[in-house]
Amino acid sequence: MSDARSRLALGIAAGALAFYALFYAGDYALHVLTRAGIYAIAAIGYQLIFGRLGALSLAQGCFFGLGAYAAGLGAVEFGLGFPLTLAVGILLPSLLAALIAIPVLRLASHYFALATLGIAQLALLVATNWTEVTGGANGLYGVPPAEIGTASFGHGLPLTILVWACVGLALLVSHRMTAGRRGLAVETLREAPLAASALGIDGAAIRFRFFVASAAFGGLAGALQAHAVGVVSPDVLQFHVLVLILAMTVIGGRASPLGAVLGALLLIHLPEWFRGFADYYLVIYGAALLAAAIFLPRGLAGLFGKRTTPVIERGEAAIPRSPVPLGLSVETVSKRFGGVIALDGISLTLTPGEILGLIGPNGSGKTTLVNLISGIEKPDDGRIWLGGADNTGRSPEYIARSGLCRSFQHPQIAPDLTVLESVEAVAPERESAPERLSEVGLSGRANGHAGTLPPAALKHLEIARALAAGASILALDEPAAGMNEVERAELSALLKRLADAGHGILLIDHAMDFLLPLADRVICLSAGQVVAEGMPRDVARDPAAISAYFGESPL
């Protein structure tokens, strides 16, 4: 579905909802609609951390409950007005999220889930047992209705309008956080985290920002809940709150703010629609959820389709000069994994415009060396210099932004992004992305999804992304793997053009008929050490290099 049709459908749906609330819904229907709006805000926030980043946080219900308690205590104990209680309800969970983000966001997926679950359970225990502050199991009573100046939003249509105005604000903020290149970078981070960091995307900053924002949305929803109901009890911190928000996000569409709203409307109204079935309504309710999960894998938002990006197809473009020609110097670098010495005192240099081949048998340390150069691993000894600056131990994001990007043996992509969007995700200026695709011969595939590309085209896409990220040096790990002779010839021509334009290229490949004619110099590794170095024809005849590959020297 096109953008115009999506906007039209959204406008019609919003108009129908407003018409229903203004002219048809009774008091109870407005109460249900208000509750749906409150949970929609929490789901929009949860979508940022779970839907966008794929991190299974089990603390969104906790943030919801903390927002409710903060607003309730602010109003009941300190006499704060509604705008201030709303601010406190947002601030407390945001501060908690910021405090725990640095340690928990470093954890692997299942450990992250367990850590956030532990935090949620701790909050529930505090709320239940800190009786003198929270009221314990009885909770807080007498939370006043929302008032702004002389306007009261205690119940009925005014409260519904207030809540859905907050939904609109939440949608706007979420859109600003995920629109355009930011959203493409986030999807790349979720689907290909190593590639994202190697292309300069600051994953740690994005995760922190989205985790705190999800807590803020949860706190806003909880604060509205406190004023809408007038009571805050430990029930708002129970696990079922998180489960409901999670279900709304999945069924609505985990990557769409609109989906979060649709999921909230559906899941809050379903029990009401099926309540007439008495003892069977829970079965029907569960069957409806299962059907939505099976037949709508992209959620309800998938019914609105996915935006496509038009592009003007171009022929192969001339490659511009390297942005800032850089040299690379590796000085006696070593790396150990436990008792295994992966690299032992390796040194090399790479000058602008040079293609340096790196060969050696499996396990010789080639990929480990590229991991060290690109920042994915940290060296135990030695120094790594890029353009005269000491980059030893720097993060992959820093190294990529400094001008060195790498590819991977198995290309890492976000399959649902188009080819053009994959490049736009890392390009400082989105307008340059079509040029980068043209340089590597992928203009004709710009509108196709990256996940549909054949292996050879994926390798070209990796190079296009590196160029878009501003790379002066490219470290390419097995770029010709799986290619036929024609594809290798095309890749070889591309790499020669890049070198002629001033790019330094560190090239790893097992295909000697591809690498040797292309490289200016070759280094051969074996057991983590340099055993041969020099011109390609000399290294190919070197007894130590031959022994490294075949286990014996020629007679």
Side-chain angles (χ1 to χ4, degrees):
M1 185 179 290
S2 67
D3 285 348
R5 292 177 63 188
S6 295
R7 286 193 295 268
L8 177 61
L10 178 60
I12 293 173
L17 184 64
F19 181 84
Y20 169 75
L22 291 171
F23 302 109
Y24 184 77
D27 287 343
Y28 184 73
L30 287 173
H31 167 74
V32 176
L33 194 59
T34 298
R35 186 164 175 258
I38 290 171
Y39 275 92
I41 295 170
I44 291 169
Y46 189 57
Q47 189 183 72
L48 292 174
I49 188 69
F50 173 67
R52 294 286 183 171
L53 291 179
L56 181 56
S57 169
L58 299 179
Q60 191 69 359
C62 167
F63 298 143
F64 180 91
L66 287 178
Y69 268 104
L73 286 168
V76 173
E77 299 295 333
F78 298 99
L80 300 179
F82 172 69
L84 287 178
T85 60
L86 207 62
V88 172
I90 294 171
L91 184 61
L92 179 61
S94 299
L95 289 175
L96 175 63
L99 181 64
I100 66 176
I102 294 176
V104 302
L105 287 175
R106 295 175 180 270
L107 299 175
S109 58
H110 51 290
Y111 293 113
F112 173 74
L114 289 174
T116 52
L117 176 60
I119 292 164
Q121 292 304 299
L122 179 61
L124 176 60
L125 287 173
V126 170
T128 303
N129 293 287
W130 200 6
T131 307
E132 58 270 24
V133 174
T134 65
N138 294 323
L140 298 171
Y141 288 84
V143 180
E147 292 183 352
I148 302 177
T150 59
S152 176
F153 301 88
H155 58 84
L157 185 60
L159 179 59
T160 303
I161 292 174
L162 173 66
V163 167
W164 280 90
C166 292
V167 173
L169 178 63
L171 287 170
L172 178 62
V173 173
S174 176
H175 175 74
R176 292 293 298 271
M177 293 182 68
T178 58
R181 179 180 176 271
R182 290 186 293 271
L184 301 179
V186 168
E187 186 159 353
T188 302
L189 176 63
R190 182 184 73 240
E191 298 293 339
L194 279 180
S197 62
L199 292 165
I201 296 174
D202 192 344
I206 292 174
R207 292 186 186 96
F208 180 86
R209 186 165 63 249
F210 276 40
F211 188 56
V212 173
S214 72
F217 281 116
L220 170 60
L224 290 171
Q225 170 82 355
H227 285 282
V229 177
V231 177
V232 182
S233 72
D235 190 61
V236 295
L237 288 162
Q238 294 286 351
F239 189 68
H240 68 81
V241 175
L242 178 275
V243 173
L244 181 58
I245 295 171
L246 172 62
M248 291 172 179
T249 305
V250 172
I251 291 172
R254 57 187 292 174
S256 167
L258 172 61
V261 176
L262 295 175
L265 284 168
L266 176 65
L267 294 190
I268 294 299
H269 281 87
L270 270 181
E272 306 300 327
W273 295 339
F274 294 144
R275 200 171 296 278
F277 290 91
D279 295 336
Y280 299 100
Y281 94 91
L282 287 177
V283 176
I284 299 173
Y285 176 61
L289 297 184
L290 183 61
I294 293 174
F295 297 109
L296 295 172
R298 293 183 179 274
L300 297 172
L303 298 173
F304 291 88
K306 176 174 170 57
R307 173 182 57 83
T308 58
T309 306
V311 63
I312 300 174
E313 294 195 5
R314 297 176 171 88
E316 186 177 277
I319 294 177
R321 298 293 301 173
S322 172
V324 179
L326 297 175
L328 173 68
S329 177
V330 177
E331 299 177 354
T332 60
V333 163
S334 298
K335 181 65 179 178
R336 293 175 291 276
F337 297 99
V340 178
I341 300 176
L343 293 174
D344 186 12
I346 298 295
S347 297
L348 62 82
T349 59
L350 175 65
T351 59
E354 181 183 25
I355 300 178
L356 175 61
L358 190 61
I359 65 173
N362 290 330
S364 61
K366 304 185 299 300
T367 297
T368 299
L369 180 58
V370 174
N371 287 343
L372 296 179
I373 291 170
S374 60
I376 291 176
E377 300 282 357
K378 312 301 179 188
D380 296 319
D381 301 294
R383 315 302 298 176
I384 299 173
W385 301 82
L386 181 62
D390 188 353
N391 270 21
T392 310
R394 292 285 193 175
S395 69
E397 298 86 358
Y398 181 92
I399 293 172
R401 290 194 293 267
S402 298
L404 186 151
C405 294
R406 63 161 297 174
S407 69
F408 294 84
Q409 290 185 29
H410 304 287
Q412 294 200 18
I413 59 166
D416 288 337
L417 292 184
T418 67
V419 173
L420 179 60
E421 288 172 337
S422 299
V423 179
E424 288 178 336
V426 299
E429 299 179 1
R430 294 183 67 182
E431 295 76 12
S432 67
E435 295 296 333
R436 304 292 84 81
L437 287 181
S438 182
E439 289 161 10
V440 301
L442 289 179
S443 289
R445 298 179 180 269
N447 290 327
H449 287 101
T452 65
L453 290 180
L458 283 174
K459 302 287 188 176
H460 285 251
L461 175 58
E462 285 197 303
I463 294 173
R465 291 192 308 187
L467 296 176
S472 175
I473 295 176
L474 293 93
L476 306 179
D477 196 352
E478 301 282 358
M483 292 187 181
N484 58 38
E485 291 185 8
V486 174
E487 292 167 340
R488 287 183 182 181
E490 292 174 349
L491 178 60
S492 178
L494 171 60
L495 297 183
K496 286 179 180 178
R497 295 199 306 272
L498 287 169
D500 291 342
H503 293 273
I505 299 174
L506 179 62
L507 180 61
I508 297 175
D509 213 284
H510 282 291
M512 294 297 104
D513 58 340
F514 166 76
L515 184 145
L516 293 179
L518 185 58
D520 298 303
R521 288 188 299 121
V522 173
I523 292 176
C524 179
L525 298 183
S526 179
Q529 296 181 326
V530 175
V531 296
E533 180 176 1
M535 299 296 290
R537 61 178 179 273
D538 296 330
V539 173
R541 299 172 187 156
D542 191 289
I546 295 174
S547 176
Y549 271 101
F550 300 106
E552 58 181 12
S553 299
L555 297 176

